[in-house]
Amino acid sequence: TEYADAEAAPGLTSSTVQTMLCLLGLCIIIKSSLLAFCNYAGRRADSEIAMTLAQDHRNDVLCNCMVVSIVVASELIRRRFPDASWLEKVDPAASCLLALWISYSWLTTAQEQLTVLSDKRADDEHVEDVVRLLESQLADSPLALAQAETYHIGEGYAASVDLYPKAGIQKSAIEVAAVLDELENALLASDLKVKQAHVRLRQQQASGSKNYSPACGAKAADDMSWAANYPNPKK
């Protein structure tokens, strides 16, 4: 009988194996659907939570597929080699490997999220993209780029921008403020995922200043006479 065969060769009965495989197959279909939906929602809404859920569903799909493969392979080998005692070690060994792989996957995800939350400086490639955007926006303006940095802030970046006035150009304070406002709006509207823009205006530096790479003229550090609405410093 079937029960006697099961006692003679340790393992699951045929009906139990079939039921388990059907349930695992149904679980794989459901999890695959959820994986596709979370990937779509994560890209559409730019949501890290949805992408994390997608990773969880992906892990479930991979684990269930591996379990199905191990169960089917073990049953086939057991039927052909009833005396293969080493098969009893396959299940715990596979469970250990799956646990290690899932732990590694989640630790990697946790490290990525900690990096995002730590205000770490963005990659050089992202900084260069921001610099190119700023330089194109400032091409015909009275201001020039001194330095720019970008930092991770959750799901996006914060841009820290320092500007200085070009030598020999005088503009009113209202015109300068309009340039700063346009620059911030350009950063926030770009596809560089800049969520915060901190644009600061620095006063003109002496030629050869270590803080800024371009030469800014030989005026005194407190000379703001480049803006027409500011009086010349008293002598």
Side-chain angles (χ1 to χ4, degrees), residues 98-204:
L98 284 174
L100 290 175
W101 179 74
I102 292 174
S103 299
Y104 171 78
S105 177
W106 281 118
L107 285 174
T108 302
T109 302
Q111 183 180 8
E112 292 175 355
Q113 297 305 315
L114 286 175
T115 299
V116 167
L117 294 172
S118 63
D119 291 342
K120 182 180 178 181
R121 184 180 182 274
D123 297 335
D124 291 339
E125 182 179 356
H126 187 267
V127 178
E128 291 172 0
D129 291 339
V130 170
V131 169
R132 280 194 291 268
L133 173 63
L134 294 172
E135 289 178 343
S136 65
Q137 292 290 325
L138 294 171
D140 298 324
S141 75
L143 305 177
L145 178 63
Q147 60 183 3
E149 297 288 349
T150 58
Y151 304 91
H152 291 279
I153 53 165
E155 298 180 3
Y157 299 90
S160 176
V161 181
D162 289 342
L163 305 176
Y164 72 94
K166 294 178 180 178
I169 298 179
Q170 291 188 346
K171 294 291 182 179
S172 67
I174 296 178
E175 291 174 315
V176 172
V179 172
L180 298 179
D181 188 56
E182 291 177 1
L183 195 61
E184 289 187 359
N185 291 335
L187 284 171
L188 297 176
S190 68
D191 57 354
L192 299 175
K193 295 184 178 181
V194 176
K195 305 298 182 182
Q196 297 178 12
H198 307 287
V199 181
R200 294 181 295 272
L201 182 60
R202 303 302 188 186
Q203 56 189 1
Q204 286 185 325

Side-chain angles (χ1 to χ4, degrees), residues 28 31-32 35 55-69 98 101:
I28 290 173
K31 285 291 185 177
S32 298
L35 171 62
Q55 182 178 3
D56 182 48
H57 295 316
R58 183 203 65 185
N59 292 343
D60 290 340
V61 170
L62 292 176
C63 289
N64 289 330
C65 289
M66 184 174 291
V67 169
V68 169
S69 301
L98 284 174
W101 179 74

Side-chain angles (χ1 to χ4, degrees), residues 8-64:
L12 299 174
T13 62
S14 298
S15 60
T16 304
V17 171
Q18 292 175 1
T19 303
M20 181 174 63
L21 292 178
C22 289
L23 292 176
L24 286 173
L26 180 62
C27 183
I28 290 173
I29 293 174
I30 294 174
K31 285 291 185 177
S32 298
S33 301
L34 293 173
L35 171 62
F37 174 77
C38 288
N39 278 328
Y40 170 77
R43 290 192 298 267
R44 185 71 179 270
D46 193 18
S47 172
E48 289 292 334
I49 295 178
M51 299 305 295
T52 303
L53 288 174
Q55 182 178 3
D56 182 48
H57 295 316
R58 183 203 65 185
N59 292 343
D60 290 340
V61 170
L62 292 176
C63 289
N64 289 330

Side-chain angles (χ1 to χ4, degrees), residues 73-84 87:
S74 297
E75 288 302 312
L76 291 176
I77 295 174
R78 183 177 286 110
R79 291 177 183 180
R80 186 166 182 177
F81 304 100
D83 298 331
L87 283 175

